[in-house]
Every structure is written in structure tokens, then in C-alpha cells.
Amino acid sequence: MLMRRPEEECGIFGVFGHPEASNLTYLGLYALQHRGQESCGIVSSDGANLHAHKSMGLVADVFGNQEIFKSLPGNSAIGHVRYSTTGSSVIKNVQPIMVDYSRGSISVAHNGNIVNAQIIKDELEAYGSIFQTTMDTEIIVHLLATSKASSLLDRLTDALQRLQGAYCLLFLTETRMVAVRDPNGFRPLCLGKIGNGHVVASESCALDLIDAEFVREIEPGELIFIEKDGTVQSHFPFKKVTPTPCIFEFVYFARPDSTIFGKNVYSVRKEQGRQLAREHKVDADIVIPIPDSGVPAALGYAEESGIPFELGLIRNHYVGRTFIEPQQSIRHFGVKIKLNPVREVLKGKRVVVIDDSIVRGTTSRKIVKMLRNAGAKEIHVRISSPPTSYPCYYGIDTPNRKELISSSHSIDEIRRYITADSLGYLSEEGLMQSVGIENTFCTACFTGGYPVKFPRLAQEPQLALFDKELEEQ
Ligand code: AMP
């Protein structure tokens, strides 16, 4: 069985040592819904057995019935929200994965992408492993089960050392919870406390919702064991590398109220807007965001430029993210369903429109047209990140190169395509200054510099493009 082209957006959450573990996990997943809207699941432990409930759909729909929590008993639970591309949107691929093996039961929730998954999988299959899903996560449980080491820590170390790529993982056994962040620390993961219990979450906004205290971020390369007696042990079993957390978490993916990689996301985005105003000034009457992703940067742009901030587009909050729709035809339609212009704000105005990124260019093109129809006199598009020219292989769902408009078009060609009067992107240096952390980041989506190389998989037709991109590096 071939593994899907690696691109997955996810959120993970876990509670250990709290009588309301699965209910709290439900709330945590609710706060992380922006990280994946296609499916979700919770696995709980009552100390002797693991219990699961998972399904396609949004958290509130899947766990909308209180009765469900009766089937998720115990003081500990882990949960997962996931978005995946067409083809793999099937129930068997919904996480957390739960398996019984010679040492008992174990469950795992994963955020990220393992870039050498196919190679490991081929190897395991050659030795007789049978895979149930097409998820790269499943190889982890196979590696765990086949490890000869005796302690769970050693078996985990054995298994995880084989992995290349991005992984934040939460494991739940009958009696323990384990949290892991890969050595590059691509995705965020934090540790919290609630009463005597412990919480682990992809983003700190999930801790806020359940009134958990933020303790600290889990470090790149750190593996944390949370034991039955409540002790937390930290291990660093991997070879140390320079961490490269994902810059796109700041640009788009994380929620603005979260603190990730040591910095509040909202303040970074606002600073990106300020910097954008310094780099791409324009004479205009109003600054408007593309809601919601452009709001903090538009506030920053307005503040720095002195041009008034207005809401020229109103969002219908009951529509999912347009980008998330699996069909191009639905996506085209989606912008109209989601956003409507406020004619009174726009009529006769020179408008600066702020968004965080242009991916295929479809959204910006539709919006510029919409604004013009609503009477805007000039439209100046400003993007609070550099052009997104390269796909992500570490857990953000970006399309392949040929669909990324900036991989094959100059800025002026993009401007013409989206029919804007002017277009300006934040520079790479400007973005780094806005983040303001003395740290290296993964900026592969802007630069093509992939910090973890992926192996060649020439014989796999689905990955041919993937391979071509490698050759271009
Ligand atoms: P597009 O129409 O393809 O150019 O998409 C651009 C829009 O998608 C922007 O408004 C971004 O905020 C949003 N966006 C960027 N990256 C992602 C992503 N990984 N998932 C969902 N939406 C995204």
C-alpha cells in the first residue's frame, strides 16, 4: 500500500491525571480545531484499558453528545484533530491510532510528517508487517512493536531514531502518557498543569480554554514521560541538531492568542504588518484585512502607516476555511460564501488589502474583483510574508509546486493575475525581524531550503513530483 503524499495539518492534546480527562480533551481539541477540520478522535485510559471514539467531522459534531464521554472513562486521554487531502479522508485514517501488541495497548496522536515513512514502511512490509492505514503514523507503532529493547523509553528511542521529518507525538498507554517533539522542533508543543494533572497541547490557546496553567514548551528533541504517580521525566535521546521551528506557524497556522516558540503569535503578526508598511508604503484611504488571517497584520500596517483601519469585508463565521475544501470548484465558490464586502466602507476609496499569504492566488483574485465591484477605486494588495514558492513536507498542507503561483510567476505577473493596482510582499529579513527571536527557523516554503532532506522515492508515481522538487534543490 502506498502512503499518501505527505501533507497533513493536525493538532494534538492530552490530559493525564484528571477525573474529567476526556471531557477536557474534547475542549482542548475544540480550541485546536483550526489545525484540522476533517476528522477527530479521543482515546482515554481507565488505568487498565484504552477506549476510543473517533470519526470524520468537526469536534463539536463528533463529540456533541454527552453520552459519548461515558464510553471514554478514566483519568487520562489524548486527542487529535486532522485535516488531510482527498483520497485519504477515510475513517480508518482517523487518529489517535490505537493498537494492542505484546506489551499491552498503546495509542498515538501525531502532528507533522515523517519524510522517510515510505522507506521504513517498505522495509517493515518486507518483513511481514501488515498495515491497516495509509498514515505515516502507523509505522511508529510497528517500529515500537518490533523493537527488541525492554523499557518503553528504549523502545520509543529505538523507533523514533529511525524517523526523519516533523513529529509532535502523544502516546497513551494504560498507565502513562508520553509527549515527544522532533529534534528540529518543527511544530509547537507545550506542557501545562491542571490541578494535580498534566496537559500537553499543540498550542497554548488550548490550555487557556480549560484554565490550565502554561508550564513551558516541550523542547526540540525532548521526550517527556508522565507517570502514574504524576512525576514528569524529561529525556533528550536524539542526536542534537539546530532546531528549525516552522515560520509558517507564525504567519498563518497557529492561533493569534497562542504563544509558540517563545513568542505570542498576535504580536508577531502585528509586527509583520508594521514592517510591511515600512517596506511597501502606498498612498491610500483605508487599510482592510482579509478576515480572519489578515487582521493582526492589517492593524499593524494601519498603525505604522497612519492610514485608518476599516472592516471592508465581513466574514460568515459558519463556513469552514475555503482552502480546506477538497475540490477546486468548491474553493472558487467558497470565497463568496465566506466573505461579503461592505460597500459603504469601500465606495470610491483607495484600499490597502492585507492578507498573510497567497498560495494559488484564487482567494486574492476573487477578493480584488469583489472589492472593485463594491466600488473601491484602487486596490493595493499587501502580503505579510514572502512569496510561498515551495511546498511544505513537514506538516502544513500546501499544494505542490506547480499550483503555487509564486513558484512560476513574478510578483508583477501575480499582480496582474489577481488584478490588483499594486502588490507587495514582506521580505524574508522583514519577517525575521518581526519574529524577533534569535533562532533559526524552517523557511522552506519561502526559500526551498529544506532542513531535513527527504529520500529519493523514484519508483513511486504519486511521489514523482516530490522527487522532481528534490532534483531542483
Ligand atoms: P489561495 O487562494 O490558494 O491563494 O489561498 C490563499 C489563502 O489561503 C490566504 O487567505 C491564506 O490565509 C490561506 N492559507 C495559506 N496557507 C494555508 C493553509 N496551509 N491552509 C489553509 N489556508 C491557508
Side-chain angles (χ1 to χ4, degrees):
M1 208 192 297
L2 227 115
M3 310 214 60
R4 53 193 296 276
R5 180 178 181 272
E7 49 181 50
E8 230 167 77
E9 294 177 348
C10 301
I12 57 177
F13 188 88
V15 175
F16 192 89
H18 193 287
E20 297 291 322
S22 48
N23 249 304
L24 292 172
T25 302
Y26 157 70
L27 290 170
L29 293 183
Y30 194 68
L32 296 174
Q33 185 78 81
H34 61 289
R35 297 185 73 87
Q37 293 100 27
E38 215 163 70
S39 65
C40 56
I42 296 177
V43 170
S44 74
S45 168
D46 59 12
N49 293 296
L50 297 186
H51 307 267
H53 181 80
K54 41 189 191 167
S55 180
M56 306 299 291
L58 296 172
V59 177
D61 298 329
V62 173
F63 294 96
N65 179 349
Q66 269 297 322
E67 288 298 301
I68 290 167
F69 295 99
K70 290 192 184 138
S71 67
L72 293 169
N75 287 345
S76 47
I78 60 170
H80 190 263
V81 287
R82 171 171 191 253
Y83 164 67
S84 67
T85 50
T86 332
S88 56
S89 319
V90 286
I91 184 73
K92 67 177 181 175
N93 282 346
V94 178
Q95 293 200 30
I97 292 181
M98 189 170 86
V99 294
D100 294 317
Y101 73 123
S102 58
R103 317 259 177 167
S105 302
I106 194 158
S107 173
V108 58
H110 171 208
N111 171 209
N113 261 312
I114 295 158
V115 295
N116 63 339
Q118 188 67 46
I119 288 180
I120 301 177
K121 190 175 185 202
D122 288 346
E123 213 178 284
L124 287 164
E125 280 183 331
Y127 283 98
S129 287
I130 296 167
F131 282 81
Q132 309 276 325
T133 75
T134 53
M135 286 184 291
D136 52 1
T137 314
E138 198 184 350
I139 64 166
I140 301 170
V141 288
H142 279 269
L143 289 172
L144 256 183
T146 49
S147 166
K148 303 274 183 292
S150 53
S151 73
L152 181 58
L153 174 63
D154 290 344
R155 267 180 287 129
L156 273 170
T157 307
D158 242 18
L160 300 178
Q161 269 167 350
R162 298 279 324 270
L163 309 181
Q164 288 166 22
Y167 53 90
C168 277
L169 297 164
L170 261 178
F171 294 91
L172 185 68
T173 71
E174 294 89 338
T175 54
R176 290 158 144 177
M177 187 161 85
V178 183
V180 191
R181 191 160 163 221
D182 70 71
N184 288 76
F186 283 105
R187 303 277 142 236
L189 195 65
C190 64
L191 183 66
K193 275 229 86 180
I194 182 162
N196 292 326
H198 299 274
V199 187
V200 176
S202 289
E203 289 182 39
S204 63
C205 66
L207 303 182
D208 298 339
L209 180 61
I210 61 162
D211 276 335
E213 177 198 337
F214 176 88
V215 175
R216 65 177 179 89
E217 293 191 42
I218 293 174
E219 299 291 318
E222 186 174 6
L223 190 152
I224 281 183
F225 262 76
I226 306 173
E227 302 284 350
K228 211 154 91 182
D229 60 5
T231 55
V232 176
Q233 295 162 21
S234 162
H235 305 270
F236 288 87
F238 311 114
K239 209 173 124 215
K240 228 178 152 50
V241 300
T242 309
T244 52
C246 164
I247 199 79
F248 208 70
E249 291 274 353
F250 278 128
V251 170
Y252 171 79
F253 202 42
R255 247 171 63 160
D257 48 338
S258 288
T259 291
I260 58 164
F261 314 143
K263 209 63 197 258
N264 166 245
V265 177
Y266 176 83
S267 41
V268 170
R269 287 189 192 158
K270 198 162 174 199
E271 191 51 40
Q272 285 170 248
R274 285 195 196 100
Q275 185 63 27
L276 188 60
R278 291 191 278 269
E279 290 183 13
H280 295 283
K281 277 203 182 73
V282 62
D283 257 345
D285 303 311
I286 53 172
V287 175
I288 67 162
I290 295 187
D292 293 331
S293 53
V295 174
L299 283 166
Y301 193 103
E303 221 172 82
E304 181 70 25
S305 65
I307 305 169
F309 174 91
E310 291 285 358
L311 290 176
L313 290 162
I314 300 301
R315 179 176 165 188
N316 179 337
H317 282 270
Y318 306 97
V319 185
R321 292 193 323 199
T322 55
F323 192 89
I324 285 307
E325 305 290 347
Q327 296 279 323
Q328 184 80 11
S329 55
I330 300 173
R331 189 162 43 245
H332 275 250
F333 189 42
V335 177
K336 251 196 291 185
I337 294 176
K338 191 166 134 182
L339 296 171
N340 197 32
V342 186
R343 281 162 220 283
E344 288 66 18
V345 170
L346 299 160
K347 204 158 184 284
K349 298 280 169 48
R350 296 169 302 165
V351 183
V352 181
V353 187
I354 312 278
D355 204 1
D356 66 284
S357 57
I358 294 179
V359 181
R360 296 176 178 87
T362 349
T363 308
S364 321
R365 187 181 158 95
K366 294 265 163 192
I367 282 169
V368 171
K369 204 169 150 197
M370 198 183 257
L371 296 173
R372 260 205 234 281
N373 287 342
K377 199 165 75 183
E378 285 174 25
I379 299 162
H380 303 280
V381 176
R382 296 292 180 269
I383 302 297
S384 61
S385 65
T388 312
S389 306
Y390 300 86
C392 176
Y393 295 112
Y394 310 124
I396 297 279
D397 173 47
T398 40
N400 55 40
R401 274 210 84 179
K402 69 175 197 296
E403 286 181 64
L404 289 169
I405 191 163
S406 65
S407 75
S408 52
H409 293 79
S410 68
I411 292 180
D412 196 52
E413 284 167 341
I414 301 172
R415 181 197 64 73
R416 268 185 278 153
Y417 175 75
I418 65 172
T419 70
D421 294 290
S422 74
L423 169 64
Y425 285 90
L426 183 62
S427 66
E428 247 178 87
E429 307 74 59
L431 175 57
M432 286 312 162
Q433 266 175 32
S434 316
V435 173
I437 303 173
E438 285 297 313
N439 201 347
T440 49
F441 279 90
C442 175
T443 55
C445 51
F446 305 130
T447 61
Y450 293 98
V452 172
K453 299 288 173 223
F454 14 87
R456 285 175 181 276
L457 302 158
Q459 69 282 24
E460 292 153 21
Q462 274 186 14
L463 292 164
L465 243 167
F466 192 91
D467 220 36
K468 201 164 153 281
E469 278 147 20
L470 266 181
E471 267 153 32
E472 286 166 10
Q473 275 178 52

